[in-house]
Amino acid sequence: MKLPRCTITTSMLVLRPLRRGTAWSTFHWTENTEALDAMEMSAPAWSRWRWYKVIRAYTGPSFITHEIWRRADNKLIGLHIAHVEGGRIAKLAIIIPDPADRGANIAEEARAVVIDLLFDRTPVKIVHGTVAARNFASAFLYQKLGFRQDAILKGRLLTDNGRIDKLVFSLLPDEWAANRPPLPKGTVT
Ligand SMILES: CC(C)(COP(=O)(O)OP(=O)(O)OC[C@H]1O[C@@H](n2cnc3c(N)ncnc32)[C@H](O)[C@@H]1OP(=O)(O)O)[C@@H](O)C(=O)NCCC(=O)NCCS
């Protein structure tokens, strides 16, 4: 099945399908090692080409990846990534690299409208994500959105400071229908 390439508009955000060329205007994101580490995307040294290849991979046919644009200042502030595995399971990731852009419920809103898209307009029946046990922002975001913590993968994340635990979260359509936060749905075009 061909995955939809839609723009989703909310009062605060425009989520646009990721374009490969966005790699050139976002290369400075590679300076934020904290955010990239959280995405398990760290690299010993970034080049523009290496970053382009990461971005290009996220535009592949099994991905629904959105650029997160804040409408107030028309600024690209992050990415939301959904990797659709086998057509019915989507693995989610999100990054808002600049800490100054965080804490305004942008990730929550972006994630909610992408989950709507996945459950309403694709055959996806499970969404899930993994997070380092110390990544409180991401773990609390999953919980706020009604994800269930399914497992703790002991020591499964290799960091420069040793192995740490990983948490696995998932969400089913009926759970989403019952617990979706009271956010307006986005407009899909
Ligand atoms: C995780 C991340 C995307 C959150 O982005 P954000 O826009 O700041 O998050 P929001 O403002 O939408 O927060 C929504 C909820 O998440 C939780 N949350 C967010 N940041 C938090 C923090 N620092 N501590 C605890 N909970 C936090 C809260 O429950 C919050 O709801 P509240 O505002 O009612 O308390 C951002 O911190 C980030 O990009 N981190 C680096 C990359 C990463 O960790 N990605 C996730 C792994 S895939």
Side-chain angles (χ1 to χ4, degrees):
M1 186 222 170
K2 202 166 182 293
L3 295 171
R5 283 182 61 78
C6 311
T7 296
I8 312 172
T9 306
T10 69
S11 57
M12 190 162 53
L13 306 173
V14 183
L15 305 191
R16 300 197 172 101
L18 177 64
R19 299 152 302 164
R20 293 179 177 189
T22 296
W24 310 126
S25 62
T26 55
F27 180 64
H28 62 285
W29 288 359
T30 59
E31 290 162 17
N32 191 321
T33 48
E34 168 259 337
L36 293 185
D37 283 352
M39 301 284 286
E40 298 181 46
M41 278 166 59
S42 28
W46 284 100
S47 63
R48 284 180 183 275
W49 176 239
R50 188 176 193 141
W51 181 241
Y52 174 78
K53 285 198 291 183
V54 168
I55 294 293
R56 186 182 61 185
Y58 289 147
T59 65
S62 58
F63 284 87
I64 299 179
T65 308
H66 285 100
E67 302 172 359
I68 304 173
W69 289 79
R70 186 169 54 206
R71 292 180 67 181
D73 54 359
N74 197 29
K75 182 184 170 198
L76 173 58
I77 57 167
L79 293 180
H80 189 285
I81 300 152
H83 184 201
V84 180
E85 303 154 326
R88 296 182 148 234
I89 302 177
K91 181 170 187 188
L92 306 185
I94 185 165
I95 182 168
I96 297 181
D98 186 347
D101 294 323
R102 298 181 191 162
N105 296 106
I106 286 174
E108 181 182 353
E109 186 163 302
R111 181 148 274 178
V113 295
V114 173
I115 294 170
D116 288 338
L117 177 78
L118 290 166
F119 285 154
D120 293 350
R121 298 184 185 231
T122 78
V124 165
K125 294 286 179 262
I126 304 172
V127 294
H128 72 108
T130 59
V131 54
R134 290 179 195 158
N135 188 341
F136 297 113
S138 184
F140 283 124
L141 174 61
Y142 279 121
Q143 283 173 349
K144 191 170 182 198
L145 290 171
F147 282 65
R148 212 157 13 109
Q149 188 185 308
D150 292 325
I152 301 177
L153 306 179
K154 298 296 284 180
R156 288 301 171 91
L157 191 61
L158 190 58
T159 72
D160 291 343
N161 300 317
R163 293 181 174 277
I164 59 175
D165 298 347
K166 237 178 172 178
L167 311 179
V168 182
F169 289 93
S170 70
L171 180 75
L172 307 178
D174 54 334
E175 294 167 341
W176 186 236
N179 300 319
R180 187 187 186 282
L183 295 166
K185 286 216 168 191
T187 305
V188 179
T189 52

